[in-house]
Amino acid sequence: MTTLKSSPGPAADSAFRSGMIAAALLGLAGIGTLHTVDVIPLHLAGYAIVLLFPMYLVGAASVLSVWLGYNADVTDLRPVYKDP
């Protein structure tokens, strides 16, 4: 017996969008706060924004997608046949 999986709906889309906005604002605020209190210099803050921040966003998107049910695996694939 196979289990029927439904795709996430519009509420999950909205939650993903809101989560990504919150993650981006939180990350930028964190880098800005660290620079403001002189924990990291300006060049290191620039490095963090240009090179580390995109990797942080990919990680946040991965966590959100799994949490909201966007993760698909091999069992979700169906064969596609071309009509002769």
Side-chain angles (χ1 to χ4, degrees):
M1 177 185 264
T2 62
T3 59
L4 182 63
K5 291 185 180 181
S6 62
S7 62
D13 292 339
S14 177
F16 183 81
R17 192 176 316 108
S18 299
M20 285 305 298
I21 290 170
L25 291 176
L26 185 65
L28 290 175
I31 293 171
T33 301
L34 288 174
H35 174 65
T36 301
V37 296
D38 290 330
V39 174
I40 58 174
L42 183 61
H43 70 281
L44 193 58
Y47 168 79
I49 289 173
V50 172
L51 295 176
L52 299 179
F53 189 64
M55 292 187 290
Y56 161 74
L57 288 179
V58 169
S62 299
V63 169
L64 280 171
S65 67
V66 169
W67 181 49
L68 293 171
Y70 285 108
N71 54 337
D73 58 357
V74 178
T75 61
D76 293 330
L77 299 175
R78 286 175 267 155
V80 178
Y81 300 103
K82 190 173 186 176
D83 291 331

